[in-house]
Amino acid sequence: MPAQLQSEGPEHHPTRRAFTLAAVATAGLATLSACAESQRDEGGGSGESSGSGRDTFVFGGSADPDSLDPVFASDGETFRVTRQIFEGLVSTKPGTTDLAPSLATEWTTSEDGLSYTFTLQEGVKFSNGKPFDAAAVVANFERWYNLRGIAQGEDLAYYYRSVFRGFKTNDDPALGTSLYAGSTANPDGTVTVNLTSPFAGFLASLTLPAFAMQETGAVEAAGGNGLDGADPRQSEYATSGPIGTGPFVFAGWERGQQVTLKRNDDYWGEKAKVASAVIRVIGDGTARKQALQNGDIDGYDLVAPADVATLESAGFQIQNRPAFNILYLGINQALAPLGDLKVRQAIAHAIDKDAVIKNALPEGTKAATQFMPENVIGWNESVTTYEYDVDRAKQLLAEAGQTNINIPFNYPTGVSRPYMPNPETIYNAINQQLSAAGITTTPVAEQWTPNYLGTVQGGSNHGLHLLGWTGDYNDPDNFIGVFFGAATNEWGFNDPGLFEALAAARTVTSEDEQESAYQDINEQIMTLLPGIPIASPVPSLAFAEGVEGYTASPVQDEVWNTVTVADS
Amino acid sequence: MLTLVVRRLGLLVVVLFGLSVLLFAWVRALPGDPARALLGEKATPAGIAEVTRRYGFDQPVWQQYLTYLGRILHGDFGASINTGEPVVRTFTERFPATIELAVAALLLAVVVGIPLGYLAARRRGGWLDNAVVGGSLLGVVVPVFFLAVLLKYVLAIQLHWFPTSGRQNARIDATHVTNFYVLDGLLTREWDASWDALVHLVLPALALGSIPLAIIVRITRASVLDVLGDDHVRTAQAKGLPRSVISRRHVLRNALLPVSTTLGLQAGALLSGAVLTETVFSINGIGSYLFDAVTQLDYPVLQGFILFIAVVYALVNLVVDVSYGFIDPRVRVS
């Protein structure tokens, strides 16, 4: 018997079994990968149809939407989705900030600027079959005006609050009289919206996706107004049943994973060319790039400037959005000696914007002369500028008696914004230039969330800082009104003259008057020099070779009915 | 056995209470203002005041805690500050993704680890043993996220063998019943959906499973070596039992006890490793969500999720302890 124990046979049994196991596991992996590959070669999976192009357009977004009810949203990822489902009365001409008809074919403004009459597109139906008409428009305005409780919050009705300034009944004492006075459905099918005071940016603000037309009956039926005290962003309507008139209809939302849209076959305009569109959520920028390279997605947004050249040389398409943002160096006048105009002028002369752009911003970016991009009404061609001149900077500092100054310089880390793709690099570039002019700074780096904004906006304990803004619609108030409309901790100055000028310009109705009023204000701002506008960087989108028909918009008004995806 | 379970559950309640106090204090000690994190560049002082008031952040911390505790007792864990989504719903929606990943990683570790460890022990000192010991050392020291990035770069981006991210191909129109995607495909007979979900799991599971795999290999090896020298094995050999029977009944069964203990402990490691793996592979599990919650200062999500994870971890270990009794009757007696 001992002979048997020593014999080869039985001893190797378990060994062999284990090896078989390992072999099976390896073979399994190999098969898996082979299949993954072949699946991609076929172009996807069950959602595909045979034929010349792909039936699904897959886009990589950076975050989940907050809600599918655009009234309660203010972020780009939400609007990316709702823009496909809903339409507003007014939209923008593709690729520009100019107004264009949408659900309203034309409009007239009363002379006093207090009432707007819209002629509506005929034969339009919501995706649940209900007609879109003057009554539906009135119902939408009334819905916004009548929001109550939590729904009035700044994190929910952000755009309604910033444009209309108040509700029928204000729950928050900080709110004022509503700009909205009422609306009527006229017998001829047009609709008239009345305002309590003139507002120059009214039509442009209606291009905001937040003011898109919804089927208010469906909203109400699914508890979408938050009247029961629940968060209306999470109502059944806002999570699984949005009803609009757009080229796509909602098909499904797997939280954190993707939103699926299907073509609206009854769409009144140019019907979508793809049968469905999917917005995949990929938070990390590198992961988005890799997903595109691997063919998992057809396109993505917020391409890092450093990736543009790599992608382009690998055959991917890059589209630059016309810049509609501004990056600036903020100055806190509450901190000595920054309250001294000569010191601020010295800082302005010490900065070589072109060098900053060359070092840290995407190709195609232009230097900024004022706190708004060129395509906004009121941009002033002949505004006071401060050319790069180190000697002049030193001289101004000497005149101010500040030859040896040291100021804190705040900049954020761990963030990439369209106007500020890489804050650390921008900081380095500016800081070197300042020190060349004899201005020493103490760097204060902070995480974007949670600390940075709190430091530069919430307190007065900061000196220079990097920040910026992306415009929402073509209205100067949306840029300089936001920055300089009132005294804030960010800038640390109080100039009632400027605040009043901005408040008055807001109510000017004619575009010509508006233009000259804002040109004056821009000059006033650049003389006062509360900060240094640096540049308006161009944000980039990337697409696979086969994607066509996508028009990048400065205000991200990008609707996908014209998009086609060819097999590449 | 029942007493053990009841006693352990009672202890769990006490532990959770203590944890909730610590968590509450810790989360509020994080620097930054959640209202500002929520409102971003567009924040106005009035808006910040309003959000602060709405979420009760202007109240004394102890009062906030009592309110929170009162709500928890009614099963209400609050809603995310960022999205308004109820914490419980988000958890139940996202937990399947993490469980699916953790189970895949653990399965990989067990299916590959136990045979490898056993083989290494039987061939002690041979090339296989050396390779296993060296490899497992590497497996333990290489950080999960590094391995994840490496696997993704080589197998997905360079070789195109696997998808780079996500749980399923966006072009597949899959029905979801349980949110366990592989299972869903089987339930709805959408085989390609199930297969696709499985393919998406491979790289993350390899990355996440690397540490448990390395540990299981080492423990199995050590444990088998230990048992091989035991008297009862020698007796069995003397009785002339076939080697396969000895291996199965006498060696493996006894050697598996420490391995199962390790599995329980690894459950916690898997959950924390999942944070990195999910982020690298854009998987919408609780790991990546927790990561976002920390950067966004989403207090309710942080508190709720960590409490849930603690419960899951405690339950897993309870199950492991109970399972000892089945593997080794001696444990039951004591």
Side-chain angles (χ1 to χ4, degrees):
Chain A
M1 286 311 221
Q4 203 185 345
L5 253 182
Q6 284 160 3
S7 79
E8 293 283 300
E11 186 184 338
H12 275 124
H13 258 291
T15 316
R16 233 178 255 151
R17 207 174 297 149
F19 261 127
T20 317
L21 253 176
V24 167
T26 318
L29 278 180
T31 327
L32 271 180
S33 62
C35 285
E37 193 166 26
S38 73
Q39 209 162 36
R40 239 189 319 283
D41 292 344
E42 287 155 18
S46 62
E48 295 295 316
S49 74
S50 53
S52 58
R54 287 189 180 185
D55 248 7
T56 304
F57 174 54
V58 186
F59 191 90
S62 70
D64 229 13
D66 271 355
S67 160
L68 298 176
D69 184 340
V71 174
F72 300 122
S74 56
D75 69 297
E77 292 301 341
T78 297
F79 292 153
R80 195 194 303 288
V81 177
T82 67
R83 273 195 162 105
Q84 317 304 327
I85 304 173
F86 302 104
E87 297 169 301
L89 291 177
V90 187
S91 75
T92 57
K93 283 191 193 117
T96 73
T97 55
D98 303 339
L99 294 185
S102 182
L103 288 175
T105 53
E106 52 188 83
W107 46 84
T108 53
T109 314
S110 67
E111 249 174 51
D112 57 6
L114 288 176
S115 84
Y116 291 75
T117 300
F118 298 91
T119 308
L120 304 180
Q121 180 73 42
E122 279 171 30
V124 178
K125 277 186 164 41
F126 285 105
S127 61
N128 63 355
K130 297 271 164 58
F132 168 77
D133 51 20
V137 177
V138 173
N140 271 282
F141 275 93
E142 286 295 319
R143 177 191 176 214
W144 308 329
Y145 183 53
N146 282 290
L147 290 176
R148 289 299 310 267
I150 181 175
Q152 288 191 4
E154 180 162 339
D155 51 332
L156 274 84
Y158 171 78
Y159 280 117
Y160 181 86
R161 282 171 66 131
S162 61
V163 170
F164 290 91
R165 309 266 159 141
F167 298 86
K168 188 176 184 186
T169 315
N170 289 333
D171 291 331
D172 177 356
L175 288 161
T177 311
S178 178
L179 179 70
Y180 175 77
S183 53
T184 41
N186 304 319
D188 63 351
T190 62
V191 63
T192 304
V193 178
N194 298 310
L195 305 182
T196 50
S197 65
F199 172 41
F202 181 64
L203 278 172
S205 75
L206 291 184
T207 64
L208 283 167
F211 301 134
M213 294 291 129
Q214 307 192 36
E215 212 284 279
T216 52
V219 175
E220 218 160 288
N225 288 325
L227 295 175
D228 52 359
D231 190 332
R233 289 175 296 186
Q234 296 305 316
S235 74
E236 211 187 310
Y237 176 81
T239 54
S240 55
I243 306 286
T245 62
F248 289 92
V249 292
F250 174 77
W253 180 6
E254 291 158 54
R255 300 271 183 155
Q257 188 77 22
Q258 63 188 43
V259 178
T260 310
L261 306 170
K262 294 267 181 272
R263 174 169 53 216
N264 177 0
D265 288 318
D266 298 324
Y267 182 53
W268 61 274
E270 187 182 345
K271 289 189 181 58
K273 296 193 165 67
V274 287
S276 53
V278 175
I279 296 101
R280 269 276 309 273
V281 179
I282 309 176
D284 179 52
T286 313
R288 280 198 298 279
K289 181 184 78 175
Q290 294 168 339
L292 179 73
Q293 290 170 325
N294 207 31
D296 300 341
I297 57 174
D298 299 316
Y300 76 97
D301 200 354
L302 302 173
V303 180
D307 292 336
V308 169
T310 323
L311 286 170
E312 232 166 7
S313 64
F316 292 97
Q317 312 176 55
I318 298 290
Q319 277 210 35
N320 288 331
R321 284 206 177 91
F324 199 60
N325 57 31
I326 186 86
L327 163 72
Y328 59 76
L329 176 73
I331 301 177
N332 175 22
Q333 294 187 33
L335 189 87
L338 299 173
D340 186 336
L341 179 62
K342 286 211 164 108
V343 174
R344 296 202 298 280
Q345 286 172 341
I347 294 172
H349 282 296
I351 294 175
D352 180 359
K353 294 175 192 173
D354 292 325
V356 176
I357 292 166
K358 202 165 155 246
N359 281 331
L361 296 171
E363 222 172 289
T365 302
K366 271 203 258 174
T369 55
Q370 51 212 293
F371 283 86
M372 56 166 66
E374 268 184 57
N375 41 11
V376 177
I377 302 161
W379 188 80
N380 187 342
E381 209 178 336
S382 53
V383 79
T384 302
T385 53
Y386 303 83
E387 76 284 6
Y388 173 52
D389 185 344
V390 181
D391 293 332
R392 177 96 185 99
K394 286 181 177 159
Q395 187 195 337
L396 280 161
L397 283 177
E399 282 173 26
Q402 300 287 354
T403 43
N404 223 344
I405 60 172
N406 189 335
I407 22 187
F409 190 157
N410 297 69
Y411 66 97
T413 58
V415 73
S416 180
R417 311 294 290 174
Y419 52 81
M420 184 166 59
N422 45 355
E424 292 92 340
T425 324
I426 299 170
Y427 159 77
N428 275 327
I430 294 179
N431 190 44
Q432 276 179 18
Q433 296 170 359
L434 289 176
S435 71
I439 302 164
T440 322
T441 65
T442 310
V444 187
E446 273 182 303
Q447 283 282 325
W448 176 258
T449 47
N451 301 351
Y452 186 70
L453 289 170
T455 304
V456 301
Q457 294 179 334
S460 56
N461 191 21
H462 55 97
L464 303 175
H465 64 271
L466 290 177
L467 205 59
W469 178 264
T470 300
D472 302 308
Y473 53 97
N474 192 351
D475 182 55
D477 186 57
N478 190 246
F479 282 92
I480 49 180
V482 171
F483 303 145
F484 309 118
T488 60
N489 282 322
E490 184 180 353
W491 307 101
F493 71 88
N494 193 353
D495 187 336
L498 177 62
F499 303 156
E500 274 161 32
L502 278 164
R506 202 180 128 87
T507 63
V508 170
T509 50
S510 97
E511 205 169 283
D512 288 344
E513 280 177 54
Q514 199 190 4
E515 177 138 30
S516 73
Y518 279 108
Q519 280 177 347
D520 287 351
I521 294 173
N522 272 323
E523 174 55 30
Q524 199 180 334
I525 292 170
M526 289 316 292
T527 322
L528 171 72
L529 206 62
I532 325 284
I534 306 286
S536 300
V538 284
S540 308
L541 293 147
F543 295 98
E545 223 177 321
V547 176
E548 268 165 46
Y550 195 106
T551 311
S553 154
V555 282
Q556 297 190 32
D557 189 0
E558 290 150 12
V559 187
W560 299 347
N561 54 336
T562 53
V563 173
T564 55
V565 189
D567 282 320
S568 46
Chain B
M1 187 63 77
L2 191 67
T3 359
L4 170 80
V5 174
V6 172
R7 206 188 309 147
R8 285 284 293 274
L9 286 178
L11 191 65
L12 176 60
V13 173
V14 178
V15 169
L16 282 180
F17 176 75
L19 184 63
S20 73
V21 176
L22 284 177
L23 255 178
F24 207 83
W26 170 70
V27 163
R28 267 152 192 77
L30 288 175
D33 176 0
R36 203 174 288 278
L38 173 66
L39 297 176
E41 294 113 296
K42 296 162 179 172
T44 58
I48 286 167
E50 178 203 304
V51 171
T52 306
R53 194 178 58 239
R54 171 151 25 108
Y55 290 98
F57 298 143
D58 50 348
Q59 311 269 319
V61 175
W62 62 267
Q63 206 168 326
Q64 290 183 45
Y65 177 73
L66 288 184
T67 316
Y68 182 67
L69 199 64
R71 289 212 186 118
I72 286 188
L73 294 178
H74 290 97
D76 176 11
F77 283 81
S80 158
I81 298 177
N82 282 310
T83 64
E85 255 183 295
V87 172
V88 175
R89 191 175 83 202
T90 315
F91 190 81
T92 47
E93 273 175 358
R94 287 176 176 260
F95 204 45
T98 305
I99 292 286
E100 203 171 52
L101 174 58
V103 166
L106 210 55
L107 264 180
L108 187 89
V110 168
V111 168
V112 179
I114 293 181
L116 266 186
Y118 179 83
L119 274 181
R122 296 304 297 238
R123 305 285 184 81
R124 186 177 186 181
W127 65 267
L128 181 75
D129 188 28
N130 289 331
V132 163
V133 172
S136 65
L137 189 67
L138 207 63
V140 176
V141 296
V142 173
V144 172
F145 77 89
F146 177 74
L147 188 63
V149 170
L150 190 74
L151 284 172
K152 184 166 145 175
Y153 184 73
V154 176
L155 298 180
I157 294 161
Q158 293 299 319
L159 296 172
H160 292 272
W161 285 2
F162 292 98
T164 55
S165 59
R167 296 179 68 195
Q168 208 156 48
N169 190 320
R171 296 182 183 93
I172 287 185
D173 193 3
T175 325
H176 295 303
V177 191
T178 61
N179 274 332
F180 290 97
Y181 285 9
V182 178
L183 188 66
D184 284 349
L186 298 177
L187 290 175
T188 55
R189 294 169 184 274
E190 292 166 353
W191 312 119
D192 55 341
S194 192
W195 179 251
D196 183 65
L198 203 61
V199 170
H200 276 79
L201 265 179
V202 175
L203 293 187
L206 275 175
L208 186 57
S210 64
I211 290 183
L213 170 65
I215 291 174
I216 285 174
V217 163
R218 292 177 78 91
I219 297 215
T220 310
R221 179 179 172 275
S223 176
V224 167
L225 280 178
D226 213 30
V227 177
L228 278 177
D230 276 359
D231 290 344
H232 72 273
V233 174
R234 227 173 307 148
T235 310
Q237 283 173 341
K239 277 200 300 188
L241 283 176
R243 186 115 188 207
S244 61
V245 176
I246 298 176
S247 304
R248 200 169 54 240
R249 284 205 205 138
H250 299 272
V251 180
L252 262 180
R253 188 170 175 142
N254 284 302
L256 280 183
L257 199 59
V259 175
S260 79
T261 315
T262 316
L263 285 179
L265 291 172
Q266 284 302 310
L270 280 175
L271 286 175
S272 53
V275 175
L276 300 164
T277 316
E278 287 175 8
T279 308
V280 174
F281 290 100
S282 304
I283 293 170
N284 59 327
I286 52 166
S288 49
Y289 197 69
L290 208 54
F291 179 79
D292 291 343
V294 174
T295 56
Q296 303 279 328
L297 285 180
D298 203 332
Y299 292 173
V301 171
L302 275 178
Q303 284 159 195
F305 272 43
I306 296 178
L307 281 180
F308 287 138
I309 292 171
V311 172
V312 170
Y313 185 64
L315 290 180
V316 166
N317 276 287
L318 181 59
V319 170
V320 168
D321 287 358
V322 172
S323 76
Y324 285 175
F326 293 100
I327 297 176
D328 187 347
R330 284 172 303 176
V331 177
R332 231 177 307 178
V333 176
S334 61

